[in-house]
């Protein structure tokens, strides 16, 4: 962020934000890293080093060993519940208040955007704050405290699972449709803290780009398919996002 060309990009995207009519933001695990939540591909410690999510977060893994998958999922859900939104999440709350139309699409399941105050978040991959029946899909608010792990659905007796999209599962069609429609219609898309390896979310920025939108990527690493038409800002989301919002609107909302 000290680099002069980076400052120039921040000013350029700040000006584009100020003029935009419809801004779409796509977030990934990187935006929550500064809240203390491990990303999929950077984490070297704890559960993330012990297990490969791609092998554990699947319907087959749950059928093979529901107890292991439930306990692993609940540890991550607890970690998310105990963490706090960071300045990047709050900058997006301000952005939503500043632009005429705003769509926030997240791949995260931690609920931090909502806890920061963002409205109408499209949770492409569900949320670890909810639980549903593995057999029937019904969202369940509570269950009998028995020795069963995972607990049982109070309606049908099936096993309960987190309301997240596992590898090999389809996204909810209405969420994907809404995300794709927003990407097609926006004039600026900001992609933040995602490695761009998980489809169909990974294609959303390029849909926007193809329709003539400005595409800006905020990431610690270089991850995008290189292209002169993409503005890349390297840095911590918790520093870059507030800087972008201040570049667009120097006076904070009172
Ligand atoms: P990912 O782990 O594949 O990629 C994270 C990206 O964020 C990396 O490119 C990394 O360079 C970047 N990054 C790390 N720290 C950053 C920071 N402080 N500022 C800016 N960038 C930073 O995550 P993904 O692309 O979201 O995709 C993988 C899947 O992981 C998603 O489906 C998501 O559901 C799941 N996931 C969610 C959470 C969460 O809800 N917090 C956590 C881990 C994984």
């Amino acid at each position: 962020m000290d680099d002069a060309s980076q400052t120039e990009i921040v000013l350029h995207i700040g000006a584009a934000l100020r003029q935009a009519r419809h801004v779409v933001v796509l977030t990934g695990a990187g935006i929550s890293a500064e809240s203390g939540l491990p990303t999929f591909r950077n984490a070297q410690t704890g559960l993330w080093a012990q297990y490969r999510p791609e092998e554990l977060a699947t319907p087959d893994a749950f059928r093979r060993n529901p107890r292991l998958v439930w306990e692993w999922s609940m540890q991550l859900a607890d970690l998310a519940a105990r963490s706090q939104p960071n300045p990047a999440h709050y900058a997006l709350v301000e952005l939503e208040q500043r632009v005429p139309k705003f769509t926030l699409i997240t791949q995260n399941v931690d609920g931090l955007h909502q806890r920061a105050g963002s409205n109408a978040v499209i949770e492409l991959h569900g949320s670890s704050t909810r639980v549903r029946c593995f057999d029937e899909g019904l969202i369940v608010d509570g269950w009998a405290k028995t020795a069963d792990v995972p607990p049982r659905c109070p309606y049908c007796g099936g096993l309960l699972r987190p309301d997240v999209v596992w590898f090999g599962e389809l996204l909810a069609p209405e969420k994907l449709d809404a995300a794709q429609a927003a990407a097609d219609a926006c004039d600026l898309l900001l992609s933040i803290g995602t490695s761009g390896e998980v489809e169909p979310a990974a294609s959303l920025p390029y849909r926007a780009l193809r329709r003539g939108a400005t595409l800006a990527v905020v990431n610690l690493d270089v991850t995008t398919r290189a292209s002169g038409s993409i503005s890349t800002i390297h840095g911590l989301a918790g520093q870059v996002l507030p800087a972008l919002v201040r570049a667009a609107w120097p006076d904070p909302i009172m």
Side-chain angles (χ1 to χ4, degrees):
M1 283 291 287
D2 301 333
D3 186 57
S5 65
Q6 290 282 283
T7 308
E8 220 169 88
I9 299 173
V10 169
L11 292 174
H12 167 67
I13 297 303
L17 280 172
R18 200 166 49 240
Q19 284 168 10
R21 283 156 293 130
H22 184 178
V23 172
V24 170
V25 173
L26 171 69
T27 65
I31 196 170
S32 295
E34 290 157 79
S35 294
L37 297 180
T39 63
F40 264 3
R41 289 168 184 82
N42 296 26
Q44 300 297 322
T45 54
L47 283 171
W48 303 87
Q50 250 173 294
Y51 302 110
R52 283 171 52 79
E54 292 89 337
E55 285 164 12
L56 202 50
T58 71
D60 277 349
F62 187 77
R63 282 188 201 96
R64 270 197 309 272
N65 193 341
R67 182 184 193 108
L68 174 69
V69 174
W70 172 266
E71 288 180 339
W72 180 78
S73 307
M74 289 305 118
Q75 284 197 46
L76 295 175
D78 278 355
L79 191 62
R82 282 186 277 111
S83 67
Q84 299 300 327
N86 67 56
H89 296 103
Y90 289 115
L92 295 182
V93 178
E94 180 171 343
L95 190 53
E96 179 173 6
Q97 293 164 2
R98 295 284 197 174
V99 296
K101 189 161 183 196
F102 181 79
T103 309
L104 177 53
I105 306 164
T106 190
Q107 300 167 82
N108 294 346
V109 298
D110 54 36
L112 287 179
H113 286 303
Q114 288 90 337
R115 282 173 52 207
S118 287
N119 292 304
V121 184
I122 301 176
E123 292 174 320
L124 271 189
H125 296 163
S127 175
S128 69
T129 64
R130 293 185 299 267
V131 160
R132 67 178 147 100
C133 176
F134 183 72
D135 292 335
E136 295 178 343
L138 200 73
I139 302 286
V140 164
D141 286 330
W143 53 86
K145 299 278 174 265
T146 65
D148 289 328
V149 182
R152 298 265 167 192
C153 173
Y155 304 105
C156 74
L159 298 178
L160 293 180
R161 57 164 285 178
D163 184 30
V164 301
V165 179
W166 283 331
F167 289 93
E169 293 186 309
L170 292 176
L171 276 58
E174 69 283 2
K175 291 184 185 175
L176 182 58
D177 286 351
Q180 289 178 333
D184 288 346
C186 70
D187 38 26
L188 193 155
L189 190 145
L190 210 50
S191 168
I192 306 163
T194 172
S195 57
E197 288 183 24
V198 179
E199 290 291 357
S203 290
L204 292 170
Y206 302 97
R207 284 182 82 111
L209 194 63
R210 274 199 303 276
R211 299 282 184 121
T214 300
L215 172 57
V217 172
V218 177
N219 200 299
L220 271 181
D221 297 329
V222 183
T223 56
T224 14
R225 302 162 219 180
S227 154
S229 51
I230 302 173
S231 299
T232 305
I233 306 170
H234 296 130
L236 294 165
Q239 293 177 3
V240 174
L241 266 293
L244 276 176
V245 172
R246 282 289 75 77
W249 299 277
D251 297 324
I253 293 175
M254 285 304 160

